[in-house]
Amino acid sequence: MLQKVLGFIQSHNLCQPDSKILAAVSGGIDSVVLCEVLHKLKYTFALAHCNFGLRAEDAEADQLFVKKLAKKYEVPFFTENFNTRAFAEQEKLSIQMAARTLRYTWFEQVRQQEGYDYIATAHHSNDTTETILLHLTKGTGIAGLHGIPAKNGHIIRPMLSVTKDDIFDFVTSNKLIWREDVSNETTKYQRNKIRHEVIPILKEINPNLEETMQHTAERVSHAESIVAAYIENLREQSIKEAENAFYISLRPLQNATGLPVVLHELLRPFNFSYSVVLELVDALDGISGKQFESPSHILVKDREQLVITPKNLGNFGSISIAEGQTEAEMGNMHFTLRYVDADKYKLNTKHNVAALDAEQLRFPLKLRAWQEGDWFVPLGMNGKKKISDLLIDKKVPANLKSQTLVLVSDQSIAWVVGQRLDNRFKVSDKTQQVLEITLDRC
């Protein structure tokens, strides 16, 4: 089995012989084998163990066992205790997802702080089979069919080429001892139900199920690379980012084959489900303004483009700016302020820069989101204009309107941020000092 693992490491370029590896060790049979394999292959490694506080005395015993295992190999040992149930409740996650989040976040912290190159987990080919079947059951795209990647950033999985039977043979021949997690036997967890009830039936049809699934996963992974190159080309043609929003031009997508799948891949970073994408495709020939939501973003069809914004950007509240202040932040926006004598100032007409007559301002200034009924006197005009009308005239998409900020001086709007100045605060021949405010996106 050692040669099988070593060959897999080399063929997938998982790490180098001198790499420092942080091994994720629960104390179960798989992770115990991982330790022995790393030891026999003469890698420099350490053990990292999570106590999720879910199994009382058993969890404490696991922790002690892994500590002794580290002493056996004479390698560093890192451990952390988590209140997993409280975290799951706080973040509204399942216990399994909460544990996974805590586990990998902490592993990465240890890796960086202690100077390790990679985090190694003990996943094997049976895990790949279970993962693919679980994804198929719940519904998935091409990404869900490649199983578990051998390498994902700093995470490596050296044992993906070996089966559970290989692991049992290895522990027998090397007389290894491990801790058995009784929760692995219960079928109340979805993965365990697939492991104990579904896979045995499938193996009656195909006794080499794990090997077949592993080969399928590899083929799908290569196919995914081809699709990814196609999607990346479309992404470069169609998506632009500007001012807290992403704009997807529909023109490059008009002749795309399999438009729902293509759009789903393009929208994947924004967490839109495939069912929402299908609704979006049906609405592409309709009127502008229809809105779609993902857990994290809002998408609006705006003429020949889609406009995507994060949900939380409109919840800015307000901030005050004191006289002499040189920087301000609001949400994910950063403002730079500077005072310049008028005779030395060169006017900047960029939309993200406001040049104001400092003497006309009353401090503290206030930055806030615009509100219905807000009005100002647009630069170059003498009459009032509602900000709602300004945004309509400028054809600002619906999900960007809520992000529009105003700079207020003593109840008067001096600048519709990024849009237009108020004529009452403009720099004139009588201006002695200019306050220049520049909007920088964080």
Side-chain angles (χ1 to χ4, degrees), residues 46-191:
L47 274 58
H49 175 79
C50 299
N51 182 341
F52 295 108
L54 298 173
R55 294 183 296 112
E57 292 84 1
D58 279 344
E60 300 295 331
D62 289 347
Q63 196 169 31
L64 181 60
F65 174 82
V66 178
K67 183 178 181 179
K68 291 180 179 178
L69 199 61
K71 189 173 182 180
K72 166 189 170 182
Y73 292 114
E74 297 181 337
V75 298
F77 171 63
F78 305 98
T79 189
E80 186 66 72
N81 290 14
F82 298 104
N83 189 339
T84 309
R85 295 190 190 280
F87 178 76
E89 184 175 342
Q90 173 187 308
E91 301 298 324
K92 296 180 173 57
L93 299 171
S94 68
I95 291 294
Q96 290 73 30
M97 185 56 68
R100 186 183 189 281
T101 302
L102 291 169
R103 176 168 67 244
Y104 282 107
T105 300
W106 178 67
F107 286 158
E108 178 60 18
Q109 289 174 352
V110 175
R111 187 195 70 78
Q112 292 185 26
Q113 292 170 2
E114 302 297 332
Y116 288 88
D117 299 305
Y118 298 103
I119 299 161
T121 69
H123 291 95
H124 46 79
S125 65
N126 294 61
D127 293 316
T128 295
T129 300
E130 293 167 11
T131 299
I132 292 174
L133 291 173
L134 192 59
H135 288 167
L136 279 171
T137 302
K138 294 184 174 182
T140 185
I142 191 170
L145 297 178
H146 63 208
I148 303 171
K151 189 173 188 178
N152 184 13
H154 295 288
I155 300 172
I156 60 174
R157 299 177 173 98
M159 291 169 39
L160 272 185
S161 63
V162 304
T163 67
K164 195 72 171 184
D165 289 340
D166 293 330
I167 289 172
F168 279 121
D169 290 342
F170 188 82
V171 296
T172 300
S173 60
N174 288 274
K175 299 179 180 178
L176 300 178
I177 299 173
W178 70 92
R179 291 274 303 169
E180 193 64 59
D181 183 351
V182 294
S183 67
N184 287 334
E185 300 304 317
T186 177
T187 56
K188 74 175 183 178
Y189 299 123
Q190 294 173 347
R191 183 177 288 272

Side-chain angles (χ1 to χ4, degrees), residues 160-296:
L160 272 185
S161 63
V162 304
T163 67
K164 195 72 171 184
D165 289 340
D166 293 330
I167 289 172
F168 279 121
D169 290 342
F170 188 82
V171 296
T172 300
S173 60
N174 288 274
K175 299 179 180 178
L176 300 178
I177 299 173
W178 70 92
R179 291 274 303 169
E180 193 64 59
D181 183 351
V182 294
S183 67
N184 287 334
E185 300 304 317
T186 177
T187 56
K188 74 175 183 178
Y189 299 123
Q190 294 173 347
R191 183 177 288 272
N192 287 357
K193 185 177 286 289
I194 287 176
R195 179 183 304 160
H196 297 300
E197 297 182 1
V198 177
I199 289 179
I201 295 174
L202 294 177
K203 291 191 75 169
E204 292 177 8
I205 301 171
N206 178 9
N208 298 318
L209 182 67
E210 286 81 11
E211 182 180 358
T212 301
M213 284 290 198
Q214 188 65 39
H215 290 166
T216 298
E218 291 174 2
R219 289 158 59 192
V220 168
S221 181
H222 291 307
E224 184 184 20
S225 298
I226 298 171
V227 173
Y230 172 69
I231 294 296
E232 186 58 33
N233 182 49
L234 276 179
R235 193 185 305 279
E236 291 176 1
Q237 294 180 48
S238 60
I239 300 183
K240 292 184 179 179
E241 181 182 7
E243 300 181 358
N244 290 319
F246 289 86
Y247 299 83
I248 300 181
S249 172
L250 294 174
R251 196 175 300 277
L253 306 180
Q254 287 177 344
N255 299 319
T257 302
L259 182 57
V261 174
V262 169
L263 259 181
H264 187 227
E265 291 299 322
L266 289 175
L267 294 174
R268 187 177 295 279
F270 311 109
N271 304 307
F272 285 92
S273 68
Y274 189 66
S275 59
V276 171
V277 171
L278 290 176
E279 293 179 21
L280 171 60
V281 170
D282 288 339
L284 290 182
D285 294 329
I287 61 173
S288 295
K290 188 160 185 180
Q291 185 170 296
F292 302 86
E293 292 190 23
S294 77
S296 57

Side-chain angles (χ1 to χ4, degrees), residues 168-436:
F168 279 121
D169 290 342
F170 188 82
V171 296
T172 300
S173 60
N174 288 274
K175 299 179 180 178
L176 300 178
I177 299 173
W178 70 92
R179 291 274 303 169
E180 193 64 59
D181 183 351
V182 294
S183 67
N184 287 334
E185 300 304 317
T186 177
T187 56
K188 74 175 183 178
Y189 299 123
Q190 294 173 347
R191 183 177 288 272
N192 287 357
K193 185 177 286 289
I194 287 176
R195 179 183 304 160
H196 297 300
E197 297 182 1
V198 177
I199 289 179
I201 295 174
L202 294 177
K203 291 191 75 169
E204 292 177 8
I205 301 171
N206 178 9
N208 298 318
L209 182 67
E210 286 81 11
E211 182 180 358
T212 301
M213 284 290 198
Q214 188 65 39
H215 290 166
T216 298
E218 291 174 2
R219 289 158 59 192
V220 168
S221 181
H222 291 307
E224 184 184 20
S225 298
I226 298 171
V227 173
Y230 172 69
I231 294 296
E232 186 58 33
N233 182 49
L234 276 179
R235 193 185 305 279
E236 291 176 1
Q237 294 180 48
S238 60
I239 300 183
K240 292 184 179 179
E241 181 182 7
E243 300 181 358
N244 290 319
F246 289 86
Y247 299 83
I248 300 181
S249 172
L250 294 174
R251 196 175 300 277
L253 306 180
Q254 287 177 344
N255 299 319
T257 302
L259 182 57
V261 174
V262 169
L263 259 181
H264 187 227
E265 291 299 322
L266 289 175
L267 294 174
R268 187 177 295 279
F270 311 109
N271 304 307
F272 285 92
S273 68
Y274 189 66
S275 59
V276 171
V277 171
L278 290 176
E279 293 179 21
L280 171 60
V281 170
D282 288 339
L284 290 182
D285 294 329
I287 61 173
S288 295
K290 188 160 185 180
Q291 185 170 296
F292 302 86
E293 292 190 23
S294 77
S296 57
H297 288 77
I298 294 174
L299 180 152
V300 169
K301 179 186 177 292
D302 183 58
R303 292 174 288 277
E304 295 301 315
Q305 64 181 359
L306 306 176
V307 183
I308 305 167
T309 53
K311 278 187 174 178
N312 62 343
L313 289 180
N315 302 323
F316 290 127
S318 65
I319 62 168
S320 295
I321 300 176
E323 189 169 9
Q325 188 171 332
T326 59
E327 287 185 299
E329 287 191 4
M330 188 171 183
N332 66 338
M333 296 184 179
H334 179 268
F335 296 84
T336 302
L337 298 85
R338 69 185 185 108
Y339 293 86
V340 186
D341 291 338
D343 58 354
K344 298 178 181 177
Y345 183 70
K346 184 178 179 180
L347 192 64
N348 190 327
T349 58
K350 291 182 178 179
H351 74 280
N352 64 316
V353 178
L356 306 165
D357 187 331
E359 292 185 0
Q360 300 301 317
L361 298 169
R362 298 292 178 267
F363 289 88
L365 305 177
K366 178 183 283 189
L367 264 172
R368 62 167 173 81
W370 78 281
Q371 301 168 357
E372 286 293 339
D374 278 345
W375 61 269
F376 75 125
V377 180
L379 184 64
M381 298 175 59
N382 293 318
K384 299 178 181 179
K385 188 180 185 74
K386 286 186 176 182
I387 292 178
S388 57
D389 292 335
L390 172 74
L391 298 178
I392 291 172
D393 291 346
K394 287 185 169 289
K395 298 180 179 178
V396 177
N399 50 340
L400 288 181
K401 288 180 181 179
S402 63
Q403 299 176 31
T404 301
L405 302 181
V406 292
L407 180 72
V408 182
S409 168
D410 191 27
Q411 307 302 316
S412 296
I413 292 174
W415 182 29
V416 182
V417 177
Q419 300 288 350
R420 200 160 177 179
L421 287 171
D422 187 292
N423 197 63
R424 295 167 294 176
F425 298 90
K426 69 180 180 181
V427 173
S428 68
D429 294 339
K430 297 179 181 180
T431 301
Q432 297 183 17
Q433 191 176 49
V434 177
L435 171 58
E436 182 186 81

